[in-house]
Amino acid sequence: MATKSKTMYSVGWDDKCFTTKNGKVEIGPLSLGAQPSAVAAGSELAVICTVNGLQLVRDKSLSDLISIPFTANAACVTKDDKTVYVGGDDNKIHIFGVNDLTLTETGVIDAHLKPVQCLELSHDESKLASSDERDVCVFDLSEGNKAIIGK
């Protein structure tokens, strides 16, 4: 489950996505292309990590399954919905630019020794925190993703 403002995105073992706004189901059920593992929300965009790739939700539309060469475990989205960070089982944080319901990989942060399990942006979006089962890393996004804490 992910929330932004008064909107909640929920995904479940039934491979479905629902969007609830102001306490009322607004969208759903949307059938996902695979089993979800995480969901994150920006202002008007949500990214759903599944065992087979990523899917985006925007304006009541669900993207096709976006294939990626790793299993996505965690994600976060910038407030302007232009950048998505995805943590994977390849121990990396993948950075994607967003154009409508498509993603283009624009960078990779290689800092973990184990699969990335959690990602979170600071309130001003100048820092990115990530964790695996053992370590926490913090990156200064305004300084070219320079590690402040961690590798």
Side-chain angles (χ1 to χ4, degrees):
M1 177 173 52
T3 60
K4 282 293 178 182
S5 195
K6 295 181 180 183
T7 302
M8 177 178 70
Y9 299 89
S10 62
V11 296
W13 289 101
D14 59 357
D15 300 353
K16 303 265 191 278
C17 173
F18 289 87
T19 299
T20 305
K21 191 167 190 168
N22 296 319
K24 296 181 181 179
V25 174
E26 184 177 58
I27 305 170
L30 297 174
S31 293
L32 303 175
Q35 184 73 53
S37 56
V39 61
S43 295
E44 301 292 327
L45 175 78
V47 60
I48 302 166
C49 302
T50 76
V51 296
N52 291 338
L54 303 171
Q55 288 191 271
L56 304 177
V57 178
R58 183 195 301 266
D59 297 327
K60 301 182 182 180
S61 297
L62 178 69
S63 73
D64 291 333
L65 188 67
I66 301 166
S67 294
I68 50 177
F70 59 92
T71 299
N73 298 327
C76 63
V77 183
T78 57
K79 293 175 199 171
D80 65 6
D81 297 331
K82 291 183 179 179
T83 306
V84 171
Y85 297 88
V86 179
D89 68 346
D90 60 353
N91 309 346
K92 298 176 183 174
I93 301 165
H94 298 265
I95 306 166
F96 294 92
V98 180
N99 183 7
D100 193 32
L101 289 176
T102 61
L103 296 175
T104 302
E105 189 164 15
T106 60
V108 175
I109 301 172
D110 188 1
H112 285 274
L113 300 174
K114 297 186 179 269
V116 178
Q117 299 296 327
C118 186
L119 293 170
E120 190 66 43
L121 287 163
S122 63
H123 182 69
D124 66 359
E125 297 186 343
S126 66
K127 312 282 187 296
L128 174 69
S130 63
S131 67
D132 57 38
E133 66 184 40
R134 190 187 83 165
D135 297 315
V136 173
C137 298
V138 179
F139 304 94
D140 188 337
L141 301 179
S142 64
E143 293 289 325
N145 306 330
K146 178 183 171 188
I148 299 171
I149 299 173
K151 184 173 151 182

